[in-house]
Amino acid sequence: MKSRFENSDIERARKRVKEIKSFYINLALYCTIIPILIIINLTFTPGFYWFFFSMAGWGLGLLFHGMAAFNYVPFLSKDWEERKLQQFMEEDRKAREKFRNNDNQNL
């Protein structure tokens, strides 16, 4: 019988695989539909390139989808969280020391 932790590990792994699969489906659709939109645009309204709006908007969404699926977050990462925690703990420690020193001087 599997432990509760093993089950949660399996569920997390399944969720991650599902997220990555969803990204690849989104990417495949992007690579299929954007060229179709380009052809439609150039065929029916060649004077205005509106396909750029679709390409840029969907592309930006695809970028963020990929970053989320592959756990790539250059800003607000776990490393950033750890540095901020250490910074705040150090600031608190210094404030306590300063308060203690001021309190001791007043005695």
Side-chain angles (χ1 to χ4, degrees), residues 28 57 71 90 92:
N71 290 328
E90 182 65 19
D92 288 346

Side-chain angles (χ1 to χ4, degrees), residues 85-98:
L85 283 170
Q86 293 299 326
Q87 176 189 347
F88 292 147
M89 289 169 44
E90 182 65 19
E91 289 172 1
D92 288 346
R93 186 187 62 77
K94 287 179 181 178
R96 279 193 309 273
E97 285 178 8
K98 184 178 179 182

